[in-house]
Amino acid sequence: MYVPTRILFGAGELNNLHSQKMPGKKAMIVISRGKSARSYGYLARTEEQLKLAGIDTVVFDKVEPNPLKSTVMAGGSFAKENGCDFIVALGGGSCIDAAKAIAVMATNNGDYWDYVFGGTGKGMAMEHKPLPLIAITTTAGTGSETDPWAVVTHEENHEKIGLGNDDMFPVLAIVDPELMTSVPPKFTAYQGFDALFHSVEGYVSKGVNLMSDMYAITAIEAVSRNLARAVKDGKDIDAREKVAFGNTLSGVVESVGLCTSQHSLEHAMSAFHQELPHGAGLIMISKAYFTHLIDKHVCDDRFVQMAKAMGMEDATEPMDFIKMLAKLQEDCGVADLKMSDYGIKPEEFETMAKNAKDTMGFLFTCDRSEISVEESAAIYRESYK
């Protein structure tokens, strides 16, 4: 087990950033191209904390909801031009992922895709360590603050691939639920389901172990029993804290366990449809995907255990998990998401299924029962509305 990130967890912890050991003298603060970091005062508070610690700062504010390779390259150049020696990611999972990739390009030459494994990536070794990264998460979705993975889209090749190594873990993560109270209900739900699925996948993958099981089942319980409350009342700090806790643990699950091909299938969807939020895509395919695994009887007892963790104490059947999943989606108002609303058409299913296997094929090897391209296309078909 190697999860070297120091974590400050709890309401108000952003106020303690200045007292932490800083990994450099000049920080590049990475935020999204949206307005929330500025309008809710999170950027000003972060700048003030860094100033108290004697750190100079510059701001890079161009990250998309599904970060693009071109943005990563621009960020790497920006860091070099401004002489930054560490990076502070302030935002959600996309922002933290982009910041990790920017940290790679701030110290290495060539193209980011030179270092990516899968698809058209060249899989080259990095010559230099990435810049150190501090992650301040404003959402509870990807667990990116406690894992080494950066998921980036190559916009020309429609490839959405994760890259990570031991040097890409954030050195410090601040998980402050107060920063999450401004996330709108819809996105609270999308992000919460992403966090949930990291642990659900981790619990049914081939890579399960005592450590991953402990984190995953705790995360599944924390997220599933509190997400609807956080969606209904964004200011419910107790619900926000518990969902954030589940999310942080889910990041650890990705470090000590494995995800499965559900993530590959969604990456293919948002690789071709940039505006599709990752969590929304996962929700769309989740019932068909996990029903497929249940029909194969890959780990019946684990699906029963997850149903119990989600609140059905008397669960006895693997399909009880699907019942609880459907109920949670209804309670969070996301049961009726449609692929067609994001421009996805049935004639794309075969292409997306092939893309999923070509670009993120490793996750297919983490499944307990091999899922073919045809079965992947069938999962899309079953999920289509």
Side-chain angles (χ1 to χ4, degrees):
M1 177 177 178
Y2 183 70
V3 184
T5 306
R6 180 185 296 275
I7 304 168
L8 298 187
F9 184 95
E13 283 296 340
L14 178 58
N15 302 329
N16 295 320
L17 173 60
H18 72 278
S19 63
Q20 300 302 301
K21 186 181 172 200
M22 293 291 146
K25 299 273 187 237
K26 184 170 186 183
M28 168 177 167
I29 303 175
V30 176
I31 61 173
S32 77
R33 64 184 187 190
K35 298 184 176 70
S36 58
R38 285 193 168 94
S39 62
Y40 292 112
Y42 305 152
L43 176 61
R45 287 178 61 194
T46 301
E47 287 173 322
E48 178 61 25
Q49 285 290 314
L50 291 166
K51 191 175 166 192
L52 285 171
I55 304 295
D56 289 331
T57 58
V58 288
V59 177
F60 181 79
D61 59 359
K62 305 207 167 21
V63 178
E64 305 84 0
N66 286 306
L68 301 175
K69 178 180 80 83
S70 55
T71 306
V72 167
M73 295 303 295
S77 300
F78 185 88
K80 286 176 184 166
E81 285 158 17
N82 286 280
C84 300
D85 54 7
F86 73 106
I87 293 179
V88 175
L90 173 67
S94 301
C95 199
I96 299 170
D97 282 22
K100 290 174 185 171
I102 288 167
V104 170
M105 294 320 298
T107 57
N108 289 282
N109 296 320
D111 186 84
Y112 180 69
W113 234 244
D114 292 344
Y115 307 103
V116 167
F117 295 83
T120 57
K122 294 182 182 168
M124 285 166 47
M126 293 173 203
E127 202 175 329
H128 306 287
K129 283 188 175 190
L131 289 183
L133 172 73
I134 292 175
I136 304 169
T137 182
T138 59
T139 67
T142 67
S144 194
E145 68 275 13
T146 49
D147 72 43
W149 305 106
V151 177
V152 173
T153 300
H154 189 311
E155 56 267 50
E156 286 125 37
N157 297 354
H158 299 296
E159 294 175 329
K160 185 177 177 183
I161 302 179
L163 171 69
N165 62 35
D166 283 358
D167 296 320
M168 290 172 69
F169 277 99
V171 294
L172 171 67
I174 293 181
V175 185
D176 184 341
E178 285 180 358
L179 307 184
M180 301 168 189
T181 56
S182 55
V183 179
K186 183 170 71 169
F187 288 100
T188 297
Y190 296 167
Q191 292 152 6
F193 272 98
D194 186 16
L196 178 70
F197 291 136
H198 283 155
S199 281
V200 169
E201 290 176 43
Y203 201 66
V204 301
S205 78
K206 273 203 313 209
V208 299
N209 54 73
L210 293 170
M211 190 68 79
S212 69
D213 278 355
M214 176 184 74
Y215 285 117
I217 205 72
T218 308
I220 289 164
E221 184 175 316
V223 175
S224 63
R225 295 189 181 208
N226 296 283
L227 182 58
R229 283 171 55 209
V231 170
K232 255 179 216 84
D233 176 10
K235 300 283 187 278
D236 182 338
I237 204 74
D238 179 64
R240 287 283 187 193
E241 183 173 75
K242 288 190 170 80
V243 174
F245 181 62
N247 176 56
T248 296
L249 294 189
S250 288
V252 180
V253 171
E254 290 189 85
S255 305
V256 299
L258 298 167
C259 272
T260 68
S261 59
Q262 188 198 11
H263 262 72
S264 302
L265 293 177
E266 196 298 313
H267 284 175
M269 293 163 71
S270 45
F272 285 97
H273 298 274
Q274 175 68 17
E275 298 311 308
L276 172 66
H278 175 56
L282 288 169
I283 292 166
M284 289 172 190
I285 61 173
S286 59
K287 286 185 285 193
Y289 179 85
F290 290 111
T291 300
H292 174 86
L293 296 189
I294 289 168
D295 288 344
K296 297 267 190 183
H297 298 289
V298 292
C299 53
D300 289 356
D301 56 326
R302 286 178 172 266
F303 281 105
V304 174
Q305 284 306 320
M306 288 193 293
K308 287 179 176 176
M310 293 171 82
M312 191 191 283
E313 272 84 3
D314 58 351
T316 54
E317 304 286 329
M319 283 301 286
D320 287 339
F321 168 75
I322 300 296
K323 285 180 193 159
M324 292 306 287
L325 183 60
K327 181 181 182 301
L328 185 60
Q329 290 179 4
E330 280 159 26
D331 291 349
C332 293
V334 293
D336 297 319
L337 292 177
K338 295 183 178 137
M339 287 191 193
S340 53
D341 286 348
Y342 291 91
I344 299 173
K345 298 184 173 76
E347 49 267 34
E348 294 178 78
F349 294 158
E350 200 76 28
T351 305
M352 291 193 307
K354 283 186 184 137
N355 177 283
K357 225 161 191 180
D358 289 346
T359 58
M360 293 280 289
F362 170 71
L363 293 187
F364 283 85
T365 69
C366 304
D367 295 330
R368 288 172 182 244
S369 170
E370 192 181 340
I371 297 179
S372 66
V373 169
E374 292 71 28
E375 287 170 322
S376 297
I379 288 167
Y380 288 137
R381 226 178 338 270
E382 185 68 27
S383 307
Y384 187 74
K385 292 183 202 168

